PDB file of all heavy atoms in Angstrom:
ATOM      1  N   GLN A 339       4.919  35.068  39.023  1.00  0.00           N
ATOM      2  CA  GLN A 339       4.530  36.479  39.022  1.00  0.00           C
ATOM      3  C   GLN A 339       3.350  36.719  38.092  1.00  0.00           C
ATOM      4  O   GLN A 339       2.457  37.521  38.396  1.00  0.00           O
ATOM      5  CB  GLN A 339       5.723  37.341  38.609  1.00  0.00           C
ATOM      6  CG  GLN A 339       6.834  37.399  39.648  1.00  0.00           C
ATOM      7  CD  GLN A 339       8.085  38.080  39.111  1.00  0.00           C
ATOM      8  OE1 GLN A 339       8.479  37.852  37.960  1.00  0.00           O
ATOM      9  NE2 GLN A 339       8.711  38.923  39.932  1.00  0.00           N
ATOM     10  N   ALA A 340       3.329  36.015  36.972  1.00  0.00           N
ATOM     11  CA  ALA A 340       2.214  36.148  36.026  1.00  0.00           C
ATOM     12  C   ALA A 340       0.911  35.693  36.660  1.00  0.00           C
ATOM     13  O   ALA A 340      -0.133  36.333  36.490  1.00  0.00           O
ATOM     14  CB  ALA A 340       2.506  35.352  34.764  1.00  0.00           C
ATOM     15  N   ILE A 341       0.960  34.603  37.390  1.00  0.00           N
ATOM     16  CA  ILE A 341      -0.244  34.087  38.063  1.00  0.00           C
ATOM     17  C   ILE A 341      -0.757  35.108  39.077  1.00  0.00           C
ATOM     18  O   ILE A 341      -1.964  35.353  39.190  1.00  0.00           O
ATOM     19  CB  ILE A 341       0.061  32.735  38.735  1.00  0.00           C
ATOM     20  CG1 ILE A 341       0.331  31.668  37.665  1.00  0.00           C
ATOM     21  CG2 ILE A 341      -1.099  32.300  39.623  1.00  0.00           C
ATOM     22  CD1 ILE A 341       0.858  30.365  38.206  1.00  0.00           C
ATOM     23  N   LYS A 342       0.156  35.720  39.809  1.00  0.00           N
ATOM     24  CA  LYS A 342      -0.236  36.734  40.793  1.00  0.00           C
ATOM     25  C   LYS A 342      -0.859  37.948  40.104  1.00  0.00           C
ATOM     26  O   LYS A 342      -1.825  38.531  40.599  1.00  0.00           O
ATOM     27  CB  LYS A 342       0.974  37.150  41.624  1.00  0.00           C
ATOM     28  CG  LYS A 342       1.447  36.064  42.588  1.00  0.00           C
ATOM     29  CD  LYS A 342       2.663  36.515  43.375  1.00  0.00           C
ATOM     30  CE  LYS A 342       3.115  35.421  44.343  1.00  0.00           C
ATOM     31  NZ  LYS A 342       4.343  35.825  45.089  1.00  0.00           N
ATOM     32  N   GLU A 343      -0.299  38.319  38.932  1.00  0.00           N
ATOM     33  CA  GLU A 343      -0.846  39.449  38.190  1.00  0.00           C
ATOM     34  C   GLU A 343      -2.247  39.143  37.666  1.00  0.00           C
ATOM     35  O   GLU A 343      -3.095  40.030  37.584  1.00  0.00           O
ATOM     36  CB  GLU A 343       0.080  39.808  37.017  1.00  0.00           C
ATOM     37  CG  GLU A 343       1.386  40.473  37.419  1.00  0.00           C
ATOM     38  CD  GLU A 343       1.186  41.885  37.911  1.00  0.00           C
ATOM     39  OE1 GLU A 343       0.258  42.559  37.439  1.00  0.00           O
ATOM     40  OE2 GLU A 343       1.961  42.308  38.792  1.00  0.00           O
ATOM     41  N   MET A 344      -2.469  37.901  37.301  1.00  0.00           N
ATOM     42  CA  MET A 344      -3.792  37.522  36.787  1.00  0.00           C
ATOM     43  C   MET A 344      -4.857  37.601  37.866  1.00  0.00           C
ATOM     44  O   MET A 344      -6.033  37.856  37.582  1.00  0.00           O
ATOM     45  CB  MET A 344      -3.751  36.111  36.181  1.00  0.00           C
ATOM     46  CG  MET A 344      -3.141  36.071  34.797  1.00  0.00           C
ATOM     47  SD  MET A 344      -3.235  34.426  34.031  1.00  0.00           S
ATOM     48  CE  MET A 344      -1.615  33.764  34.398  1.00  0.00           C
ATOM     49  N   ASP A 345      -4.478  37.348  39.122  1.00  0.00           N
ATOM     50  CA  ASP A 345      -5.389  37.426  40.260  1.00  0.00           C
ATOM     51  C   ASP A 345      -6.629  36.566  40.010  1.00  0.00           C
ATOM     52  O   ASP A 345      -6.527  35.363  39.883  1.00  0.00           O
ATOM     53  CB  ASP A 345      -5.754  38.886  40.535  1.00  0.00           C
ATOM     54  CG  ASP A 345      -6.450  39.063  41.873  1.00  0.00           C
ATOM     55  OD1 ASP A 345      -6.278  38.183  42.743  1.00  0.00           O
ATOM     56  OD2 ASP A 345      -7.159  40.057  42.054  1.00  0.00           O
ATOM     57  N   LYS A 346      -7.790  37.204  39.839  1.00  0.00           N
ATOM     58  CA  LYS A 346      -9.027  36.444  39.667  1.00  0.00           C
ATOM     59  C   LYS A 346      -9.345  36.158  38.199  1.00  0.00           C
ATOM     60  O   LYS A 346     -10.324  35.487  37.896  1.00  0.00           O
ATOM     61  CB  LYS A 346     -10.193  37.200  40.298  1.00  0.00           C
ATOM     62  CG  LYS A 346     -10.080  37.321  41.813  1.00  0.00           C
ATOM     63  CD  LYS A 346     -11.266  38.093  42.388  1.00  0.00           C
ATOM     64  CE  LYS A 346     -11.128  38.238  43.894  1.00  0.00           C
ATOM     65  NZ  LYS A 346     -12.269  39.008  44.478  1.00  0.00           N
ATOM     66  N   GLU A 347      -8.540  36.704  37.300  1.00  0.00           N
ATOM     67  CA  GLU A 347      -8.747  36.453  35.877  1.00  0.00           C
ATOM     68  C   GLU A 347      -7.945  35.228  35.444  1.00  0.00           C
ATOM     69  O   GLU A 347      -7.090  34.738  36.178  1.00  0.00           O
ATOM     70  CB  GLU A 347      -8.346  37.678  35.043  1.00  0.00           C
ATOM     71  CG  GLU A 347      -9.057  38.964  35.437  1.00  0.00           C
ATOM     72  CD  GLU A 347     -10.571  38.902  35.233  1.00  0.00           C
ATOM     73  OE1 GLU A 347     -11.051  37.963  34.569  1.00  0.00           O
ATOM     74  OE2 GLU A 347     -11.270  39.784  35.742  1.00  0.00           O
ATOM     75  N   ASN A 348      -8.220  34.763  34.221  1.00  0.00           N
ATOM     76  CA  ASN A 348      -7.561  33.540  33.750  1.00  0.00           C
ATOM     77  C   ASN A 348      -6.504  33.801  32.693  1.00  0.00           C
ATOM     78  O   ASN A 348      -5.751  32.913  32.331  1.00  0.00           O
ATOM     79  CB  ASN A 348      -8.612  32.567  33.177  1.00  0.00           C
ATOM     80  CG  ASN A 348      -8.004  31.233  32.782  1.00  0.00           C
ATOM     81  OD1 ASN A 348      -7.236  30.653  33.537  1.00  0.00           O
ATOM     82  ND2 ASN A 348      -8.308  30.765  31.582  1.00  0.00           N
ATOM     83  N   VAL A 349      -6.438  35.036  32.177  1.00  0.00           N
ATOM     84  CA  VAL A 349      -5.577  35.322  31.031  1.00  0.00           C
ATOM     85  C   VAL A 349      -4.697  36.534  31.321  1.00  0.00           C
ATOM     86  O   VAL A 349      -5.133  37.483  31.981  1.00  0.00           O
ATOM     87  CB  VAL A 349      -6.429  35.598  29.765  1.00  0.00           C
ATOM     88  CG1 VAL A 349      -5.548  36.010  28.588  1.00  0.00           C
ATOM     89  CG2 VAL A 349      -7.250  34.372  29.395  1.00  0.00           C
ATOM     90  N   ALA A 350      -3.468  36.492  30.822  1.00  0.00           N
ATOM     91  CA  ALA A 350      -2.590  37.659  30.832  1.00  0.00           C
ATOM     92  C   ALA A 350      -1.979  37.808  29.446  1.00  0.00           C
ATOM     93  O   ALA A 350      -1.620  36.819  28.801  1.00  0.00           O
ATOM     94  CB  ALA A 350      -1.493  37.502  31.878  1.00  0.00           C
ATOM     95  N   VAL A 351      -1.869  39.046  28.982  1.00  0.00           N
ATOM     96  CA  VAL A 351      -1.259  39.349  27.685  1.00  0.00           C
ATOM     97  C   VAL A 351       0.182  39.766  27.937  1.00  0.00           C
ATOM     98  O   VAL A 351       0.455  40.624  28.788  1.00  0.00           O
ATOM     99  CB  VAL A 351      -2.026  40.489  26.973  1.00  0.00           C
ATOM    100  CG1 VAL A 351      -1.390  40.782  25.626  1.00  0.00           C
ATOM    101  CG2 VAL A 351      -3.489  40.104  26.790  1.00  0.00           C
ATOM    102  N   VAL A 352       1.114  39.157  27.219  1.00  0.00           N
ATOM    103  CA  VAL A 352       2.543  39.425  27.413  1.00  0.00           C
ATOM    104  C   VAL A 352       3.021  40.382  26.333  1.00  0.00           C
ATOM    105  O   VAL A 352       2.817  40.142  25.134  1.00  0.00           O
ATOM    106  CB  VAL A 352       3.356  38.117  27.375  1.00  0.00           C
ATOM    107  CG1 VAL A 352       4.836  38.396  27.644  1.00  0.00           C
ATOM    108  CG2 VAL A 352       2.816  37.123  28.403  1.00  0.00           C
ATOM    109  N   VAL A 353       3.661  41.474  26.762  1.00  0.00           N
ATOM    110  CA  VAL A 353       4.158  42.487  25.827  1.00  0.00           C
ATOM    111  C   VAL A 353       5.621  42.790  26.138  1.00  0.00           C
ATOM    112  O   VAL A 353       6.107  42.530  27.235  1.00  0.00           O
ATOM    113  CB  VAL A 353       3.331  43.793  25.918  1.00  0.00           C
ATOM    114  CG1 VAL A 353       1.898  43.552  25.486  1.00  0.00           C
ATOM    115  CG2 VAL A 353       3.376  44.374  27.331  1.00  0.00           C
ATOM    116  N   ASN A 354       6.323  43.347  25.136  1.00  0.00           N
ATOM    117  CA  ASN A 354       7.704  43.760  25.374  1.00  0.00           C
ATOM    118  C   ASN A 354       7.739  45.199  25.874  1.00  0.00           C
ATOM    119  O   ASN A 354       6.692  45.802  26.140  1.00  0.00           O
ATOM    120  CB  ASN A 354       8.558  43.559  24.115  1.00  0.00           C
ATOM    121  CG  ASN A 354       8.106  44.446  22.953  1.00  0.00           C
ATOM    122  OD1 ASN A 354       7.330  45.385  23.116  1.00  0.00           O
ATOM    123  ND2 ASN A 354       8.588  44.129  21.756  1.00  0.00           N
ATOM    124  N   ASP A 355       8.937  45.768  25.965  1.00  0.00           N
ATOM    125  CA  ASP A 355       9.056  47.113  26.533  1.00  0.00           C
ATOM    126  C   ASP A 355       8.449  48.193  25.643  1.00  0.00           C
ATOM    127  O   ASP A 355       8.230  49.324  26.082  1.00  0.00           O
ATOM    128  CB  ASP A 355      10.527  47.439  26.840  1.00  0.00           C
ATOM    129  CG  ASP A 355      11.433  47.288  25.629  1.00  0.00           C
ATOM    130  OD1 ASP A 355      10.931  46.912  24.556  1.00  0.00           O
ATOM    131  OD2 ASP A 355      12.648  47.533  25.753  1.00  0.00           O
ATOM    132  N   LYS A 356       8.166  47.868  24.371  1.00  0.00           N
ATOM    133  CA  LYS A 356       7.491  48.810  23.482  1.00  0.00           C
ATOM    134  C   LYS A 356       5.985  48.574  23.439  1.00  0.00           C
ATOM    135  O   LYS A 356       5.282  49.161  22.634  1.00  0.00           O
ATOM    136  CB  LYS A 356       8.074  48.699  22.075  1.00  0.00           C
ATOM    137  CG  LYS A 356       9.542  49.121  21.991  1.00  0.00           C
ATOM    138  CD  LYS A 356      10.049  49.050  20.549  1.00  0.00           C
ATOM    139  CE  LYS A 356      11.501  49.509  20.474  1.00  0.00           C
ATOM    140  NZ  LYS A 356      12.033  49.433  19.090  1.00  0.00           N
ATOM    141  N   ARG A 357       5.537  47.660  24.305  1.00  0.00           N
ATOM    142  CA  ARG A 357       4.122  47.262  24.403  1.00  0.00           C
ATOM    143  C   ARG A 357       3.635  46.524  23.157  1.00  0.00           C
ATOM    144  O   ARG A 357       2.442  46.483  22.868  1.00  0.00           O
ATOM    145  CB  ARG A 357       3.208  48.461  24.708  1.00  0.00           C
ATOM    146  CG  ARG A 357       3.454  49.052  26.091  1.00  0.00           C
ATOM    147  CD  ARG A 357       2.394  50.061  26.477  1.00  0.00           C
ATOM    148  NE  ARG A 357       1.074  49.460  26.642  1.00  0.00           N
ATOM    149  CZ  ARG A 357       0.669  48.793  27.724  1.00  0.00           C
ATOM    150  NH1 ARG A 357       1.503  48.611  28.740  1.00  0.00           N
ATOM    151  NH2 ARG A 357      -0.548  48.305  27.788  1.00  0.00           N
ATOM    152  N   TRP A 358       4.559  45.938  22.431  1.00  0.00           N
ATOM    153  CA  TRP A 358       4.199  45.103  21.299  1.00  0.00           C
ATOM    154  C   TRP A 358       3.855  43.710  21.803  1.00  0.00           C
ATOM    155  O   TRP A 358       4.465  43.186  22.739  1.00  0.00           O
ATOM    156  CB  TRP A 358       5.349  45.023  20.296  1.00  0.00           C
ATOM    157  CG  TRP A 358       5.612  46.310  19.585  1.00  0.00           C
ATOM    158  CD1 TRP A 358       4.761  47.375  19.453  1.00  0.00           C
ATOM    159  CD2 TRP A 358       6.817  46.671  18.906  1.00  0.00           C
ATOM    160  NE1 TRP A 358       5.353  48.381  18.734  1.00  0.00           N
ATOM    161  CE2 TRP A 358       6.621  47.988  18.382  1.00  0.00           C
ATOM    162  CE3 TRP A 358       8.031  46.040  18.689  1.00  0.00           C
ATOM    163  CZ2 TRP A 358       7.597  48.655  17.654  1.00  0.00           C
ATOM    164  CZ3 TRP A 358       9.006  46.703  17.948  1.00  0.00           C
ATOM    165  CH2 TRP A 358       8.790  48.000  17.445  1.00  0.00           C
ATOM    166  N   PHE A 359       2.908  43.090  21.144  1.00  0.00           N
ATOM    167  CA  PHE A 359       2.408  41.777  21.543  1.00  0.00           C
ATOM    168  C   PHE A 359       3.470  40.692  21.381  1.00  0.00           C
ATOM    169  O   PHE A 359       4.113  40.582  20.342  1.00  0.00           O
ATOM    170  CB  PHE A 359       1.179  41.432  20.696  1.00  0.00           C
ATOM    171  CG  PHE A 359       0.573  40.094  20.980  1.00  0.00           C
ATOM    172  CD1 PHE A 359      -0.076  39.849  22.181  1.00  0.00           C
ATOM    173  CD2 PHE A 359       0.632  39.072  20.042  1.00  0.00           C
ATOM    174  CE1 PHE A 359      -0.650  38.615  22.437  1.00  0.00           C
ATOM    175  CE2 PHE A 359       0.058  37.844  20.281  1.00  0.00           C
ATOM    176  CZ  PHE A 359      -0.587  37.615  21.494  1.00  0.00           C
ATOM    177  N   VAL A 360       3.658  39.910  22.418  1.00  0.00           N
ATOM    178  CA  VAL A 360       4.593  38.782  22.388  1.00  0.00           C
ATOM    179  C   VAL A 360       3.839  37.459  22.441  1.00  0.00           C
ATOM    180  O   VAL A 360       4.212  36.474  21.800  1.00  0.00           O
ATOM    181  CB  VAL A 360       5.590  38.872  23.566  1.00  0.00           C
ATOM    182  CG1 VAL A 360       6.475  37.635  23.625  1.00  0.00           C
ATOM    183  CG2 VAL A 360       6.441  40.133  23.444  1.00  0.00           C
ATOM    184  N   GLY A 361       2.744  37.425  23.183  1.00  0.00           N
ATOM    185  CA  GLY A 361       1.951  36.206  23.309  1.00  0.00           C
ATOM    186  C   GLY A 361       0.988  36.331  24.470  1.00  0.00           C
ATOM    187  O   GLY A 361       0.789  37.421  25.023  1.00  0.00           O
ATOM    188  N   ALA A 362       0.384  35.245  24.833  1.00  0.00           N
ATOM    189  CA  ALA A 362      -0.551  35.237  25.961  1.00  0.00           C
ATOM    190  C   ALA A 362      -0.316  33.984  26.788  1.00  0.00           C
ATOM    191  O   ALA A 362       0.243  32.989  26.310  1.00  0.00           O
ATOM    192  CB  ALA A 362      -1.994  35.292  25.469  1.00  0.00           C
TER     193      ALA A 362
END
Side-chain angles (χ1 to χ4, degrees):
Q339 290 171 319
I341 292 171
K342 289 179 179 178
E343 288 289 329
M344 282 185 263
D345 192 22
K346 294 180 181 179
E347 304 297 347
N348 185 46
V349 175
V351 181
V352 183
V353 296
N354 64 13
D355 56 359
K356 295 183 178 179
R357 294 190 66 80
W358 291 341
F359 179 69
V360 174

